[in-house]
Amino acid sequence: MRRRFGKAYRVAWRRRREGKTDYHARYRMLLSRKTRAVVRKSLRHIVVQFIDAKINGDVTLSFTKSTELRKYGWKYNCGNLPAAYLTGFLAGLKAKARGINDAILDIGAQRSTYGGRLYAALLGIRDAGIHIPHDEKILPSYERVLGKHIENYAKMLKLEDKDRYKLQFGGYIQRKTDPEKISENFLRVLKKIVEEYNATIPTWIGEVT
């Protein structure tokens, strides 16, 4: 009979193996007993949920998906950075309406990229009036939130390489939307959301526009 030496190998839980759940981070968040602002992204969508942990499982208090922006007039991709901010802002106002004022951010096992879509959603949640502890340096600039980086890139590409412009912004062209006017659409959508929830326009709007 052959003997085995060394420590026994322990197979990680399935969701950990698939990179979907960081159980150590989740455990620390549960110990705080605070509502979690759960932000998830895909190539086409952003989802923001406010969740409480209970003995019998998680309870979703509020759910917002970026496709909801369509009813406010959003014409562009629902997975880009401006859409992430608007989704976070809408989710924050929904949470406020349910009496939620404080939360902690939960981005799960997703890669943390400073200034990216996850933190654009966080910025939107914060601007809606929800207090979430964070470091200011992780947030995107308001110029990027408005979509100015998309507009500037589109203008440059249109002048320098029209074929590449058509390839890069083919989806915009098919939907008959102008990538150089995304900030205008952003502001219209933001104002409609504010009007519906009787909220206040974020102060930075007047400073950047």
Side-chain angles (χ1 to χ4, degrees):
M1 181 177 179
R2 301 178 66 180
R3 297 181 62 186
R4 293 183 179 179
F5 297 92
K7 296 180 180 179
Y9 177 73
R10 180 182 176 184
V11 178
W13 290 341
R14 178 180 59 82
R15 290 186 64 84
R16 181 55 181 161
R17 295 198 309 271
E18 294 174 351
K20 294 180 178 179
T21 302
D22 183 338
Y23 286 100
H24 292 292
R26 178 179 170 83
Y27 178 67
R28 290 194 299 271
M29 284 187 284
L30 294 181
L31 286 179
S32 73
R33 300 183 181 276
K34 292 185 177 181
T35 298
R36 287 153 42 223
V38 180
V39 182
R40 298 292 184 266
K41 64 179 173 63
S42 67
L43 290 176
R44 296 186 177 182
H45 302 111
I46 304 293
V47 173
V48 178
Q49 301 176 80
F50 285 84
I51 295 176
D52 273 351
K54 302 295 183 182
I55 293 177
N56 296 327
D58 287 349
V59 176
T60 301
L61 307 175
S62 177
F63 177 91
T64 306
K65 191 173 183 179
S66 54
T67 50
E68 295 179 40
L69 300 176
R70 296 295 186 205
K71 71 178 183 180
Y72 297 99
W74 183 247
K75 299 178 181 179
Y76 296 87
N77 187 300
C78 287
N80 62 21
L81 196 141
Y85 175 90
L86 290 170
T87 304
F89 188 73
L90 177 59
L93 292 179
K94 283 185 180 182
K96 289 280 288 185
R98 287 181 167 270
I100 300 169
N101 296 303
D102 300 272
I104 54 175
L105 182 66
D106 178 355
I107 63 171
Q110 300 170 104
R111 179 174 293 180
S112 174
T113 303
Y114 284 16
R117 292 181 293 158
L118 295 175
Y119 298 124
L122 167 62
L123 183 55
I125 296 170
R126 188 194 73 174
D127 285 354
I130 305 294
H131 174 70
I132 298 180
H134 63 277
D135 189 331
E136 289 288 327
K137 69 182 180 182
I138 69 175
L139 302 174
S141 68
Y142 284 120
E143 285 78 9
R144 288 179 59 81
V145 165
L146 273 171
K148 291 294 185 180
H149 61 298
I150 298 174
E151 293 180 347
N152 293 336
Y153 181 63
K155 291 175 183 177
M156 180 272 292
L157 211 56
K158 196 173 185 179
L159 288 173
E160 297 182 0
D161 192 337
K162 289 187 177 180
D163 290 334
R164 189 178 174 189
Y165 171 85
K166 292 177 182 178
L167 181 65
Q168 184 79 31
F169 294 100
Y172 289 78
I173 296 170
Q174 286 182 352
R175 292 193 298 270
K176 296 181 180 180
T177 54
D178 187 348
E180 297 174 36
K181 295 182 178 180
I182 191 170
S183 61
E184 294 179 15
N185 190 212
F186 176 96
L187 292 173
R188 286 196 297 270
V189 171
L190 183 66
K191 288 176 182 177
K192 286 184 179 180
I193 293 173
V194 165
E195 288 172 2
E196 179 171 321
Y197 286 86
N198 194 27
T200 304
I201 289 283
T203 55
W204 64 266
I205 291 293
E207 298 171 2
V208 177
T209 55

